[in-house]
Amino acid sequence: MRKKVLAIYTGGTIGMEKEYTSGSLYPLDFEHILDKIPEIALLDCEVDIHSFDRPLDSSDIGPDEWKKFAHCIEENYHLYDGFLILHGTDTMSYSASALSFMLFGLKKPVIFTGSQLPVGDLRTDAKENLITSLYYACLYENGEAVIQEVAIYFEYKLFRANRTLKYSAENFDAYKSPNYPLLGSSGVNLQINKENLWRTASKDFFADLHLSTKVFFWRVLPGVSLQNLKNILVLTNTKILLLQVYGTGTLSGAKDTLTSLEKIRNSGIEIIVLSQCISGKICFGKYENSNLFNHLGAISAGDMTLESAFVKTLHLLDNPRYKEESFSDLFSKNLKGEKSP
């Protein structure tokens, strides 16, 4: 039986057409995508397209749009075998990571993809990304979906969504998963690394649309004092500070650094510590200048990406679903395969 896939078009380069006389890009009516990629008709699946009212640049996509994506999947979950989300590349890792936390009991593929060049461009990467993403979105064995999580497919690689980051604005190979291996890859044959796939213990599917915005991000820089940070956090009604530090968890050992962070913690604000390094993880106590985080009762983000740690925080903070557990305990858990032990 042919599988049914719902392709959700949000906007981005993949849905643009180039006007060659002027060189300008303009939005394509995505309902007519088959005219640009007739090979889709050869796939052993039925593809329905859902487009939002107005195509969005990915820089305009945030929590409100993530709720719409999750709600659309929830409404159509039992009507389709898989879901494909066509998205601009700049914030795709944020959106895909967010859905990984918002969708519970997921036992069907939710594949994000996009392109660096528009679908109408002569050298576009959109066709391969779109066609192979559809293959993964309708890949079943023995009546069960092979992919049962939110993933990103880009340039011959299938990634766990909440392990990804965009690292290149120029290369077709634009995404990396620095701390987790590939879920699959595309060559002459489609390869699936089944030992790397996520499986949920939840039975019933639903979408939890809770997202808080009381989160502030600060990147530590040499010579930049933290003295005024507490005032900013109080004014913005912040409950969580995402603090991105050096290496495995170090920052300046100056006395005013500890004093500033103590004032922040004493005001009731939780501190999550992330690394500025793409690869590796936070390890409190490895160096003397990271011992203060143990003193402060800060939370380690381990080897999570900034993108994943940020949206995980938005989802967990003040979420009534988790009122029986502290935020610190919840964040430290591996909920959707987003971090290593």
Side-chain angles (χ1 to χ4, degrees):
M1 181 180 295
R2 286 163 63 88
K3 300 301 180 184
K4 293 186 65 177
V5 175
L6 180 63
I8 302 170
Y9 174 59
T10 70
T13 301
I14 194 170
M16 305 294 282
E17 178 81 276
K18 178 181 280 188
E19 211 295 305
Y20 279 94
T21 56
S22 66
S24 299
L25 298 176
Y26 64 91
L28 174 72
D29 182 354
F30 218 78
E31 297 293 332
H32 299 144
I33 188 63
L34 288 177
D35 297 336
K36 295 295 179 182
I37 312 180
E39 296 90 339
I40 291 177
L42 301 176
L43 297 174
D44 189 25
C45 67
E46 299 177 23
V47 182
D48 290 338
I49 296 174
H50 173 81
S51 297
F52 287 94
D53 294 337
R54 180 175 62 89
L56 295 173
D57 187 280
S58 67
S59 62
D60 289 323
I61 294 177
D64 288 341
E65 288 70 34
W66 301 339
K67 293 177 184 180
K68 291 179 182 178
F69 303 162
H71 179 65
C72 182
I73 291 173
E74 184 177 44
E75 278 195 320
N76 292 281
Y77 186 76
H78 297 293
L79 302 177
Y80 292 91
D81 301 292
F83 299 87
L84 174 64
I85 300 182
L86 304 163
H87 196 290
T89 60
D90 286 344
T91 62
M92 189 190 299
S93 286
Y94 289 96
S95 296
S97 294
L99 258 64
S100 77
F101 294 111
M102 296 167 73
L103 301 179
F104 286 75
L106 183 62
K107 291 183 171 60
K108 297 180 180 181
V110 176
I111 311 295
F112 277 73
T113 196
S115 66
Q116 295 286 65
L117 290 176
V119 68
D121 194 285
L122 184 63
R123 297 179 50 250
T124 186
D125 55 330
K127 288 187 177 182
E128 198 284 323
N129 286 348
L130 181 52
I131 290 171
T132 305
S133 292
L134 284 171
Y135 269 110
Y136 281 121
C138 61
L139 187 60
Y140 274 65
E141 289 182 357
N142 301 318
E144 183 179 86
V146 175
I147 309 299
Q148 299 183 14
E149 60 183 287
V150 184
I152 288 178
Y153 178 79
F154 216 88
E155 189 64 9
Y156 308 115
K157 299 180 181 70
L158 185 69
F159 306 96
R160 174 165 298 156
N162 58 35
R163 289 289 195 149
T164 63
L165 54 86
K166 183 180 179 183
Y167 87 102
S168 177
E170 297 289 334
N171 297 334
F172 286 143
D173 187 14
Y175 287 84
K176 284 193 178 297
S177 175
N179 293 313
Y180 196 77
L182 295 177
L183 304 184
S185 57
S186 171
V188 175
N189 299 301
L190 288 186
Q191 178 182 346
I192 297 291
N193 302 320
K194 292 186 177 181
E195 67 278 9
N196 300 333
L197 298 177
W198 179 259
R199 290 292 186 265
T200 180
S202 302
K203 293 183 178 180
D204 298 324
F205 174 81
F206 65 93
D208 181 345
L209 305 185
H210 177 88
L211 292 168
S212 174
T213 57
K214 298 177 181 179
V215 180
F216 193 88
F217 171 76
W218 184 274
R219 181 181 173 98
V220 169
L221 298 171
V224 177
S225 174
L226 302 179
Q227 285 184 338
N228 294 322
L229 183 56
K230 177 181 179 293
N231 295 331
I232 296 173
L233 299 180
V234 171
L235 287 173
T236 55
N237 195 26
T238 295
K239 289 191 174 183
I240 306 289
L241 170 63
L242 291 171
L243 189 66
Q244 195 175 42
V245 301
Y246 312 125
T248 58
T250 64
L251 76 173
S252 169
K255 185 176 180 180
D256 75 290
T257 299
L258 177 58
T259 301
S260 298
L261 292 177
E262 282 181 332
K263 288 180 179 178
I264 290 170
R265 283 293 289 125
N266 290 339
S267 68
I269 296 170
E270 297 274 9
I271 299 175
I272 298 173
V273 183
L274 306 98
S275 177
Q276 295 178 14
C277 296
I278 290 176
S279 180
K281 66 178 182 178
I282 294 294
C283 185
F284 295 159
K286 183 174 182 180
Y287 295 97
E288 183 178 352
N289 276 19
S290 67
N291 282 325
L292 81 164
F293 291 121
N294 285 322
H295 167 73
L296 292 167
I299 305 167
S300 168
D303 64 352
M304 293 179 64
T305 63
L306 165 61
E307 292 85 344
S308 186
F310 173 66
V311 298
K312 182 178 182 179
T313 301
L314 299 188
H315 179 63
L316 295 180
L317 180 59
D318 295 332
N319 190 328
R321 186 175 303 281
Y322 301 109
K323 61 184 178 181
E324 301 300 323
E325 294 185 72
S326 70
F327 176 86
S328 177
D329 288 343
L330 273 170
F331 187 88
S332 299
K333 290 182 178 180
N334 181 26
L335 299 177
K336 298 294 180 73
E338 72 277 5
K339 62 181 295 186
S340 302

